[in-house]
Amino acid sequence: MSVDLFSPFRPQSAKSLLQHVAESAPSDIDRDVYGVGTSLQQFEKQIANTLGKEQAVFMVSGVMSQLIALKIHSSSVADEKTSFLCHATSHLMIYEQDSYKHLLNMTAITVGEKHRALTIEDFTALPNEAVAKVHTIILELPQRENGGLVPSWKDFVAISEFAKQRGIKLHMDGARLWECQPFYDLDYSAICAVFDSVYVSFYKGIGAMSGAMLAADANFISSSKVWQRRFGGNLYTVLPVTAHAQECFNARIHTFRARYEKLREVVAALTEWSEAQQDTLGYRPLTFNPPVPQCSMVHVHIKGASDVILAASKVVAERHDMLVLNRLRSLVGLPADCSGLEWNMGTDNMSIPTPAFVEGWTALFAAIQELQVN
């Protein structure tokens, strides 16, 4: 596809990806064995320093990272504290088959409303008897399921104080932390300073094939390695995943401000275009949630049925050699007459001139209208 408006990183075949990893790896890279290796430890130290934490450990998945964090934090408090707090759209609540319940025998208490970011009032409104049973608060930055919203810095600080005053540990689900740093305009270490532990991912905004890290103080990381073994996550080697993760991290960690600003620019242009279609079509073809992105991802509400939209996208690809989108998904707050798209701005699609995005979406809705007539 000559013009790919949708993909944050240009897709690669499995073979070309493996060839790239082999060719780009440093000549002195070594292979870790059960998590021990010079190159891996250097990468772990690099991430720990970036996040302002004492140490970090590479993990094969974010699910495992966060379950281990919950287990360690719960072990440091009284036995009666068997609950954790998280937003209603937390990954643990939607995608993990109640792993915290079945593996850790814990109870989740959800706070806030699905369509908005957390505020301090969501926590202060909780009954004291419920809070008394809580050992950990999980904050997701940004909140993926409602379009990448983040708490205001004022609420962010207040929530951390709420936890501190009550002896509750604070853990960050930072799967997309890299994407929202420009919104706060602070160093990663400053954002992470109030957290007892931080999980970050390498295959989302960083674009690596897989992998995660868990960062905290030395004692926590020492315990996390024990639990990593118990959970079956201490693999014989994590090469080549770590090599690709480090390469992508080094290449892309400094691109997020430009990606954030580009997405805001494109969303503004498409919002203006959509509003201008009101007179012609009688409706706005698309709206964004949030209207002004708070990170380098945003949710798009597209007027129309998903099968028609996907068919129209194929028409645009054939006629214009342009990919506008290739998949849709359910979204929080999606109107009944709309289909949902999660859109990420990456290092590849941010290089496309903004007028090309308007051209692509104009062609998409022309194809939609044509399909509806036929």
Side-chain angles (χ1 to χ4, degrees):
M1 196 65 60
S2 294
V3 181
D4 186 345
L5 305 177
F6 178 73
S7 304
F9 314 111
R10 186 164 292 277
Q12 290 180 278
S13 68
K15 184 175 182 178
S16 65
L17 174 59
L18 291 173
Q19 288 174 332
H20 171 82
V21 174
E23 293 168 0
S24 62
S27 58
D28 61 347
I29 192 171
D30 68 327
R31 184 179 68 177
D32 70 285
V33 176
Y34 291 119
V36 178
T38 301
S39 299
L40 175 58
Q41 265 73 75
Q42 289 174 347
F43 185 31
E44 290 172 336
K45 184 62 176 176
Q46 179 184 9
I47 298 302
N49 290 341
T50 300
L51 302 177
K53 298 301 180 187
E54 275 189 87
Q55 294 183 11
V57 59
F58 189 85
M59 294 277 177
V60 294
S61 75
V63 172
M64 184 177 293
S65 300
Q66 304 211 100
L67 290 177
I68 288 174
L70 284 173
K71 180 61 182 178
I72 295 172
H73 288 321
S74 69
S75 300
S76 67
V77 298
D79 290 343
E80 63 268 17
K81 292 193 172 188
T82 58
S83 301
F84 65 92
L85 291 171
C86 64
H87 189 261
T89 64
S90 169
H91 195 279
L92 286 91
M93 304 308 299
I94 300 176
Y95 299 111
E96 300 182 20
Q97 305 293 318
D98 294 334
S99 56
Y100 62 88
K101 183 188 303 180
H102 296 290
L103 297 178
L104 303 179
N105 197 29
M106 291 182 184
T107 302
I109 301 173
T110 58
V111 292
E113 298 175 298
K114 291 183 177 181
H115 68 279
R116 62 171 176 81
L118 287 168
T119 67
I120 183 57
E121 288 76 21
D122 293 321
F123 295 88
T124 57
L126 291 168
N128 290 333
E129 57 270 23
V131 176
K133 297 178 181 178
V134 172
H135 55 74
T136 306
I137 293 173
I138 297 179
L139 286 186
E140 182 186 7
L141 295 180
Q143 294 172 192
R144 177 197 181 186
E145 296 299 322
N146 51 30
L149 294 176
V150 295
S152 70
W153 186 251
K154 180 180 178 181
D155 280 310
F156 184 93
V157 173
I159 293 167
S160 69
E161 284 299 314
F162 175 92
K164 189 175 182 180
Q165 291 168 7
R166 291 159 178 80
I168 298 172
K169 301 297 183 179
L170 191 61
H171 170 75
M172 182 201 293
D173 176 349
R176 293 169 177 78
L177 168 64
W178 320 118
E179 286 94 317
C180 72
Q181 180 271 337
F183 178 83
Y184 287 125
D185 199 23
L186 294 168
D187 291 339
Y188 292 109
S189 58
I191 298 172
C192 296
V194 301
F195 289 89
D196 297 288
S197 57
V198 177
Y199 142 66
V200 292
S201 174
F202 298 113
Y203 76 86
K204 299 177 177 72
I206 294 295
M209 62 172 72
S210 189
M213 276 208 202
L214 188 58
D217 62 42
N219 288 335
F220 182 100
I221 295 303
S222 178
S223 295
S224 73
K225 292 178 180 178
V226 175
W227 280 103
Q228 181 186 43
R229 185 68 174 173
R230 290 169 175 166
F231 271 88
N234 183 218
L235 305 185
Y236 177 65
T237 184
V238 284
L239 196 69
V241 172
T242 49
H244 193 231
Q246 187 169 25
E247 184 218 339
C248 291
F249 179 80
N250 290 335
R252 291 168 176 158
I253 189 58
H254 300 297
T255 67
F256 285 98
R257 176 164 293 282
R259 290 156 64 174
Y260 167 71
E261 291 175 351
K262 177 68 174 187
L263 182 60
R264 288 165 66 101
E265 177 184 302
V266 171
V267 166
L270 287 173
T271 298
E272 182 179 352
W273 169 81
S274 183
E275 290 173 347
Q277 305 311 303
Q278 182 78 39
D279 292 338
T280 304
L281 301 177
Y283 60 87
R284 293 177 60 182
L286 64 151
T287 56
F288 295 91
N289 182 39
V292 179
Q294 296 183 359
C295 62
S296 55
M297 67 159 279
V298 73
H299 285 176
V300 190
H301 297 174
I302 310 167
K303 199 84 163 182
S306 59
D307 57 339
V308 176
I309 293 169
L310 291 171
S313 181
K314 290 181 180 179
V315 171
V316 174
E318 292 169 359
R319 291 179 180 173
H320 304 278
D321 200 22
M322 177 181 285
L323 179 65
V324 180
L325 55 87
N326 63 7
R327 63 179 179 269
L328 299 167
R329 59 162 292 184
S330 60
L331 300 175
V332 170
L334 185 68
D337 60 349
C338 289
S339 298
L341 173 70
E342 184 172 278
W343 194 12
N344 293 274
M345 189 63 68
T347 51
D348 279 279
N349 55 354
M350 79 170 184
S351 65
I352 300 171
T354 297
F357 288 89
V358 177
E359 176 188 340
W361 282 91
T362 301
L364 179 72
F365 271 90
I368 290 172
Q369 288 180 291
E370 181 180 321
L371 289 170
Q372 288 172 334
V373 169
N374 295 334

